[in-house]
Amino acid sequence: MEASVAPLDETKGVWKKKGTGKSRRTPKGRQVEDAALAEVQALLADSPRRRDLLIEFLHLIQDAYGHLSAAHIRALAEEMRLAQAEIYEVATFYSHFDVTADGETPPPALTIRVCESLSCELAGADQLHQALKDGLDPAEVRVVRAPCMGRCNTAPTLELGHNHIDHATPEKTLAALKAGETHARLPEYQGLPEYRADGGYRTLAQLRENGDWEVVQAKIGEAGLRGLGGAGFPSGTKWGFVRANAGPRYLAVNGDEGEPGTFKDRYHLERNPHMFLEGMLIAAWAVEAVQCFVYIRDENPAVREILRREVAELEATGIVEAGFIELRRGAGAYICGEESAMIESIEGKRGLPRHRPPFVAQVGLFGQPTLVHNVETLYWVARISRFGPEVMNSVEKNGRKGLRNYSISGRVAEPGVFLLPAGSTIDDIIAAAGGMAEGHVFKAYQPGGPSSGLLPASLNDVPLDFDTLQPHGTFIGSAAVVVLSDQDSARDAALNMLRFFEDESCGQCTPCRAGCEKAVKLMQADTWDQPLLEELCQVMGDASICGLGQAAPNPIRLTMKHFGEEI
C-alpha cells in the first residue's frame, strides 16, 4: 500500500493561518503614555540624561506630583534609556520616594514626619505622633514616624512638608498647617560679601597662585585634625593616598549627617557656609580634583537652598567655574553616611556599601580616586589653612589637644552645639549646656550617637575624644551626646537605638539585616536572654560588611554591662 503525502501548500498548521488582525502593534510590556512622557520631559527640561542624575530626577517627579506613579517611572525609563526595574529598585530603596502601583491611591498631598529619635522620644514624640494621627484626616494629611532629623536641640521636632516645626506641639503644627507653612525657612547666615570682607577666600587665592599642597598637608597634620564624621582618620593623610593614584580625581563631601543626635554640620552650614566651602576648595586644590560633589541629606532643605545660592555666587564672581561644584540631594537613607554608600548614591544607585579593598581613595566616584571629607572637617581645613595649626593644637585639656564641636541634647537645660576642648568630660559638657534640666538627675549618656551605645553617669571622668573611649567598649563617633536622667530607662533607650538600626539597615548582608531584627525581638522580652544576645552581637560585629552592623551591638552590650538591673 503506497503512502499518500499532501502537497505542502495544502498542509494545515500555524504558519498557514490567515491574518486575524489581532497581532501586537507594540513590543510586550508597559507602554509609554504620551501624557506622562511629556510631564517628565517638562520636569527634566534641558538637563543631561545622565545615569548619575537618576535620584535628582526622581526628586523632581516626587516634588511635582507627590508620588512616583508607574506611568512616570515608565516615562523616565524611556527618557533615560534605562530598564524600568533599574529605576524601580532605586526609587524603592529610599524612604522619601512614594512609589504607587496602578490603581493604588496616591498618598495625600501633605505628609507630616514626626521624629522618633532618642532625644525626641524623651521629649514626648510618641504622644505628639498619636495626637496628630487622631486629630487629622488621613485622607488629607499623612502622619508618619521618621528617623532623626538632626534637630535634637529643639526636640520634639517634626517636618510639615519641608518646614520643620521645632519644639513641636499639636497646636503649633495645626497653626502652621492652617497657614500653609510647608516650605523650608532660611535662617540668617553670612553671605559671600561679608565672608570676603572678613578675609575669606584670600588663603585659597594664595594657594592657587603659588601654594604647596604638602605644606598645607603638614599644617593639617600638625593641628591634629582627624575626620569628624565618625571614623576619625587623619585628614591630611587622606590627601596623600588620593594623590598617589592617577587622575582624574574627585572630591565628595559627606553632608548626610544622619547619626541620631548629630546636628553640628547643619549648625555651621546654616551660619557660615563659606568657611566650609573654602575648606572644600582648598582640599580640592590639594588633590587636584576635577570636580566636587556635595551630598546633603534631604532632611536639611534650608541647607541645600543656602548652598545652592552661595555656589551660584561663587560661580558669578569667578571663584569657581560653573559646574565645578555639584549639589546632590539625599533621599532618606542613613546608610548613605557610609562613604562608599554615599558614592553609590551620588552615582544614582541604591546606597549599598561597597566591599573593600579597593578603597574609595583608589576607586571611588565613577571609578576614579576620590577624596571624601565630612562637612565639619572641611570647616577646620579652612580655619587651619588661614590661621595656622595653633587654632586647634594650642588648646589642651586632660592631656588631649584640640577642639571639638559637641552636639548636646536630651535632659540638659540648654541643648545645642558647643565648641569645647577635645579633652572635655561628660561633666564639662553638661555644664556647658547649662547643667541638667530642672527636676532631672544625671543617669546615663550616649557619647557619640546610637552606634556608641550608653555609658553610666559614674564614667564621668573620661575625656570624650578619639581613642579614649575604646577601653570602655565605645567610641566618640560624631560627638552626638544625648543625656539621660533618673526618669529614663536605659533599656528603652537601647531598644530605640536598635529599632533605628533595624529600619535603616540596607539589607545587603544577612548579619546586619537579620541580626538587627532578631535583636529588637529579643530586647522586647521581659527578661533579656543575655547569652543569646551576646552570641548575636558577636556574629553581627564579626560578619557585617560596614559600620552599621558592626556598631549596632554596642547599645546591647553596654546596657547589659552597666544597666543589668533593668533587663
Side-chain angles (χ1 to χ4, degrees):
M1 183 176 179
E2 295 183 5
S4 176
V5 179
L8 289 176
D9 59 356
E10 293 180 10
T11 304
K12 294 181 179 181
V14 294
W15 306 111
K16 294 293 290 182
K17 278 186 178 179
K18 293 182 179 180
T20 62
K22 296 181 182 179
S23 60
R24 283 188 167 273
R25 290 178 171 80
T26 62
K28 288 185 176 182
R30 178 181 292 278
Q31 302 306 302
V32 180
E33 297 178 16
D34 291 340
L37 182 60
E39 289 166 349
V40 168
Q41 289 172 336
L43 289 173
L44 272 54
D46 58 356
S47 299
R49 272 48 169 176
R50 300 199 319 255
R51 174 66 179 78
D52 61 291
L53 292 173
L54 173 58
I55 293 173
E56 300 297 311
F57 295 158
L58 290 172
H59 274 304
L60 290 176
I61 299 171
Q62 176 76 33
D63 290 346
Y65 296 99
H67 64 111
L68 303 175
S69 67
H72 282 139
I73 287 178
R74 176 64 184 92
L76 185 60
E78 180 75 13
E79 194 66 13
M80 297 189 71
R81 301 295 187 265
L82 293 174
Q84 294 176 75
E86 194 169 352
I87 294 177
Y88 181 84
E89 75 169 6
V90 172
T92 53
F93 182 87
Y94 298 93
S95 64
H96 288 188
F97 295 135
D98 296 303
V99 178
T100 58
D102 286 333
E104 185 180 356
T105 303
L110 189 61
T111 295
I112 294 176
R113 290 184 167 88
V114 181
C115 180
E116 62 175 0
S117 71
L118 180 57
S119 296
C120 285
E121 184 177 283
L122 296 177
D126 284 343
Q127 297 89 331
L128 176 64
H129 175 264
Q130 193 59 52
L132 293 172
K133 288 275 286 187
D134 293 341
L136 293 170
D137 183 352
E140 296 182 0
V141 181
R142 177 175 56 166
V143 181
V144 298
R145 296 178 181 272
C148 185
M149 298 176 184
R151 308 182 80 85
C152 316
N153 55 321
T154 57
T157 192
L158 60 79
E159 193 176 21
L160 176 64
H162 290 297
N163 177 30
H164 286 99
I165 308 295
D166 296 328
H167 300 296
T169 63
E171 295 76 19
K172 287 176 70 173
T173 306
L174 294 175
L177 181 61
K178 186 176 180 180
E181 297 172 355
T182 60
H183 298 289
R185 293 165 292 176
L186 266 61
E188 292 186 8
Y189 64 91
Q190 186 182 55
L192 181 58
E194 296 83 3
Y195 183 73
R196 295 186 76 178
D198 197 31
Y201 292 107
R202 290 179 191 170
T203 302
L204 175 65
Q206 291 166 359
L207 291 173
R208 284 175 169 175
E209 184 177 350
N210 56 15
D212 182 339
W213 77 271
E214 290 180 310
V215 172
V216 181
Q217 182 190 41
K219 282 185 179 181
I220 300 300
E222 185 181 347
L225 181 63
R226 294 169 65 171
L228 297 169
F233 193 82
S235 300
T237 305
K238 280 187 178 183
W239 297 4
F241 288 164
V242 174
R243 286 189 64 107
N245 297 278
R249 307 183 189 101
Y250 293 96
L251 186 149
V253 179
N254 190 339
D256 192 64
E257 197 174 40
E259 188 75 17
T262 315
F263 47 96
K264 58 186 177 61
D265 290 354
R266 177 181 65 81
Y267 176 88
H268 287 295
L269 291 174
E270 288 184 344
R271 287 161 176 78
N272 189 1
H274 284 283
M275 187 67 77
F276 150 71
L277 288 168
E278 184 172 14
M280 178 188 73
L281 293 174
I282 289 171
W285 162 82
V287 299
E288 298 179 345
V290 297
Q291 198 173 12
C292 299
F293 289 83
V294 184
Y295 190 88
I296 299 295
R297 68 188 311 225
D298 199 29
E299 290 85 349
N300 287 339
V303 167
R304 285 200 317 276
E305 179 58 21
I306 289 170
L307 290 178
R308 186 194 66 78
R309 294 183 181 188
E310 298 312 306
V311 168
E313 286 288 309
L314 292 178
E315 293 176 347
T317 54
I319 293 176
V320 297
E321 295 181 0
F324 182 74
I325 301 172
E326 275 201 37
L327 303 180
R328 290 298 172 89
R329 179 180 173 186
Y334 164 75
I335 193 62
C336 290
E338 196 276 338
E339 62 178 7
S340 65
M342 176 193 68
I343 285 175
E344 290 286 299
S345 190
I346 292 173
E347 293 180 353
K349 305 171 187 173
R350 295 176 295 167
L352 298 177
R354 297 176 180 176
H355 292 270
R356 288 169 287 190
F359 297 93
V360 298
Q362 303 163 301
V363 181
L365 197 54
F366 310 124
Q368 297 300 128
T370 303
L371 175 64
V372 177
H373 273 318
N374 160 265
V375 168
E376 189 196 353
T377 305
L378 293 170
Y379 172 89
W380 283 107
V381 165
R383 289 187 61 81
I384 294 166
S385 300
R386 186 169 164 185
F387 302 113
E390 300 78 18
V391 75
M392 285 195 80
N393 66 17
S394 62
V395 179
E396 186 171 353
K397 185 180 179 71
N398 292 328
R400 310 295 300 180
K401 287 187 176 183
L403 293 166
R404 287 201 72 107
N405 281 291
Y406 294 92
S407 306
I408 309 171
S409 61
R411 305 298 194 183
V412 292
E414 300 170 7
V417 173
F418 296 87
L419 181 63
L420 300 172
S424 299
T425 65
I426 187 62
D427 284 346
D428 298 324
I429 290 169
I430 291 174
M436 293 295 293
E438 187 176 354
H440 291 268
V441 177
F442 180 35
K443 172 182 177 177
Y445 64 103
Q446 173 185 282
S451 300
S452 66
L454 280 176
L455 294 176
S458 58
L459 280 175
N460 61 346
D461 58 349
V462 180
L464 299 193
D465 194 15
F466 295 117
D467 309 322
T468 59
L469 293 168
Q470 276 79 349
H472 302 283
T474 184
F475 52 88
I476 186 60
S478 59
V481 180
V482 180
V483 177
L484 276 65
S485 78
D486 57 336
Q487 299 182 27
D488 303 315
S489 162
R491 171 198 176 105
D492 290 346
L495 182 57
N496 175 285
M497 298 177 203
L498 264 293
R499 280 176 169 153
F500 170 78
F501 291 132
E502 179 189 22
D503 288 341
E504 294 296 335
S505 172
C506 74
Q508 180 179 190
C509 66
T510 302
C512 177
R513 181 186 67 248
C516 289
E517 177 199 3
K518 299 302 181 187
V520 167
K521 290 179 179 177
L522 290 170
M523 293 168 73
Q524 293 180 79
D526 291 337
T527 302
W528 286 11
D529 185 337
Q530 296 189 48
L532 183 57
L533 276 166
E534 175 53 38
E535 185 178 348
L536 181 61
C537 289
Q538 189 70 39
V539 171
M540 291 173 66
D542 289 346
S544 297
I545 71 169
C546 86
L548 192 160
Q550 293 164 9
N554 286 340
I556 304 171
R557 282 175 161 157
L558 290 172
T559 300
M560 291 192 297
K561 179 178 180 180
H562 297 294
F563 306 97
E565 71 281 359
E566 294 190 23
I567 59 173

